[in-house]
Amino acid sequence: MAGATTAAAVAGTAFVASFGSPAGATPADSASAVTPVSLSAQKVIDDESVAAKAVKALTSKPSTWKVGAGQELEPVVTLKDASGATHVRMNRTYEGLEVVGGDLVAHQNKSGAVTSVSQGLEKVLDLSVKPGVTKDAAMKAALTLDAVTKAITDLQADKKHAPKLVVDAVDGTPTLAWRVTTKGKQSDGTPSRLATYVDAASGKVLRRVEGIHTVDGEGNTLYSGTVPLQVTQNGSTYELRDETRGGTYTTDMNNAEDSILCQLLGFGCAAGDVVTSPSSTFGNGSNDDRATAAADAQYGTNVTWDYYNEVHGRDGIFGDGSGSYNRVHYGNGYVNAFWDGEKMTYGDGDGVGYGPLVSLDVAGHEMTHGVTENTSGLEYSGESGGLNESTSDIFGTAVEFYADNAEDQGDYLIGEAFILDGGDPLRRMDNPSFDGNSVNCWSSSTGDLDVHYSSGVGNHFFYLLSEGSGTKTIGGVEHSSTTCDGSTITGIGRDKAEQIWFRANSTYFTSTTDYAGARDATVKAATDIYGADSAEVSAVEAAWSAVSVG
């Protein structure tokens, strides 16, 4: 989340009421006569025969589906629509090596025939898997100082993850590469888990991908007021633990940070102390009670869980009913928050311009990084990284609207609640370029931007699809959005836009999807839900054109 005085990023490796119509809303916000297909009707099924049939169909036509000799497909999850159509998400290996960016989704009709495949590869893999560079040389290259690594202190090899030979197909040109994982600390104190891909033939660093996705806000105050919480009684005390939502809980880090041992070896990491209270009430609405920020973090987790469950039929971040947990009061003056694949961690801010980073949209944003990690797996670099960030902004915003909280009304501003000094929000979805770094319109250089700025294209698209162009007041805030092609866009309403984006991310996006691919995926998702000739499909196409995609 870019903003203010530092390059902020509500990112991550990243709300229990009904939707309410925002102030000044147009009829586009109301349900239309067309009732969308409920995505809760799309179920995860455990039927090996369906997946096996898809694998057989793909491997039997290597040139058609780009699955040739030496390749193996590993089904990960199978989704079944109410219509009987199925979608089998798979990972790929080549000569026993992981193909990074080689994941795909096979789409089968209700008769079991493969009708299409979502994937980034455009040709059958054919390359040598014999490296010309040793893993030690690859490690040396990974530890070389450059624009990325010079900003990381205590940069060292990750002893837990030895260099691994893979096929790197993220950019569409498959290359044999060493993936080297290093640990350290980013400039603002956020842990670093950096994956560096080194060309196994030349020793050149191909790319680096940060595994710890951050939210770079500078503080956070919560305006959620008195909220309901599910807590657990343990003897004479109460724990901030919710057994109704996968056992999610919140701990107090007591201003400690992860140790170097934790960052380098991945063990001995501090979990913090579970937040307790002598009564079922936690916090007093101010920072002088350490339980206040903890209650905010837990509330954000709970509402985000409910949003995904009730709106999209997803059972938690991981989709299996298990919960994650929160760590609050991380570090001293830490003005960030992050999702690390297991949990959310929140700093307290600096107490001057920013408070604890535990607002509703941040919680929704961070947990969505977990959802994306466990669905499409959008690579956190280039245009796919922008889409990853945009997806978190979209659903962080959706969670804020879903909460229907009078103290923190829904809007399309990112990070506005935790600004203490009356400053500007970190991002605006109606006008991403407002922050001076993000872009409203796609161009050939979009993928070269930081992912928190290239996300502006997806954010702008989503706003236009939901609300349309022009000026309107939403959540007591004036919003104004123009288009890149001078067109006038009429929104279809946020509810429909959310359904379309969620289905695209869960069913059609792959790790290497770019903005052109996102256009295709959202058109397919809208077609699935509303029909090929629907106004919703036309609106999706128009909104993408309005941000110069397609």
Side-chain angles (χ1 to χ4, degrees), residues 81-93:
D81 295 341
S83 66
T86 56
H87 312 274
V88 185
R89 186 174 291 276
M90 310 178 196
N91 289 332
R92 183 192 322 243
T93 62

Side-chain angles (χ1 to χ4, degrees), residues 153-384:
T153 58
D154 301 316
L155 181 69
Q156 297 184 36
D158 182 353
K159 305 295 185 183
K160 189 177 180 181
H161 299 94
K164 182 178 181 181
L165 203 60
V166 299
V167 175
D168 183 7
V170 166
D171 67 357
T173 303
T175 304
L176 186 68
W178 287 102
R179 181 171 62 208
V180 181
T181 305
T182 55
K183 293 289 185 73
K185 182 181 291 188
Q186 298 179 52
S187 59
D188 64 356
T190 303
S192 172
R193 186 172 66 236
L194 193 66
T196 298
Y197 291 83
V198 180
D199 192 313
S202 67
K204 177 183 178 182
V205 172
L206 298 173
R207 61 193 181 91
R208 300 182 189 270
V209 181
E210 179 58 67
I212 301 294
H213 304 164
T214 65
V215 45
D216 243 344
E218 295 190 82
N220 174 24
T221 57
L222 295 177
Y223 300 96
S224 296
T226 301
V227 297
L229 291 174
Q230 293 293 321
V231 299
T232 299
Q233 186 171 6
N234 185 1
S236 60
T237 64
Y238 293 83
E239 295 182 349
L240 200 50
R241 185 190 305 272
D242 188 345
E243 299 296 347
T244 71
R245 296 179 176 89
T248 60
Y249 61 95
T250 299
T251 68
D252 186 339
M253 282 291 286
N254 299 299
N255 302 108
E257 295 185 5
D258 290 326
S259 66
I260 295 299
L261 184 65
C262 166
Q263 295 177 39
L264 295 180
L265 302 180
F267 64 84
C269 299
D273 301 318
V274 176
V275 177
T276 62
S277 172
S279 72
S280 59
T281 299
F282 288 75
N284 64 3
S286 68
N287 285 328
D288 59 17
D289 186 336
R290 297 180 68 84
T292 299
D296 289 328
Q298 186 74 27
Y299 173 59
T301 299
N302 292 352
V303 183
T304 303
W305 176 288
D306 290 347
Y307 167 76
Y308 275 109
N309 184 266
E310 295 181 11
V311 177
H312 302 296
R314 184 172 182 82
D315 200 7
I317 288 178
F318 308 105
D320 61 1
S322 62
S324 57
Y325 72 100
N326 308 303
R327 300 188 304 178
V328 298
H329 301 304
Y330 179 88
N332 284 296
Y334 182 63
V335 288
N336 216 327
F338 59 90
W339 161 262
D340 65 5
E342 177 189 18
K343 58 188 174 293
M344 281 76 67
T345 299
Y346 301 94
D348 286 333
D350 59 9
V352 179
Y354 306 86
L357 280 82
V358 284
S359 65
L360 284 173
D361 53 1
V362 171
H365 180 114
E366 293 305 325
M367 291 180 69
T368 294
H369 276 300
V371 173
T372 296
E373 182 179 324
N374 288 277
T375 52
S376 63
L378 285 163
E379 185 78 9
Y380 204 65
S381 63
E383 290 192 20
S384 61

Side-chain angles (χ1 to χ4, degrees), residues 17-23 25-31 36 307 311-312 393-404 409-412 429 462-468 472-475 479 490-502 530:
S18 60
F19 282 95
S21 297
T26 65
D29 299 286
S30 302
Y307 167 76
V311 177
H312 302 296
D393 277 355
I394 286 168
F395 290 115
T397 294
V399 164
E400 187 177 80
F401 276 106
Y402 175 82
D404 197 22
Q409 295 184 55
D411 52 42
Y412 292 88
M429 298 180 75
F462 184 81
Y463 179 84
L464 290 172
L465 182 63
S466 300
E467 306 291 346
K472 65 190 328 184
T473 299
I474 304 171
H479 292 64
T490 299
I492 62 173
R494 191 179 56 258
D495 293 3
K496 289 182 179 181
E498 290 169 20
Q499 293 285 340
I500 291 168
W501 195 276
F502 180 87
Y530 301 104

Side-chain angles (χ1 to χ4, degrees), residues 31-47:
S32 72
V34 179
T35 301
V37 175
S38 171
L39 289 188
S40 62
Q42 186 184 63
K43 299 293 186 181
V44 175
I45 62 172
D46 184 14
D47 189 336

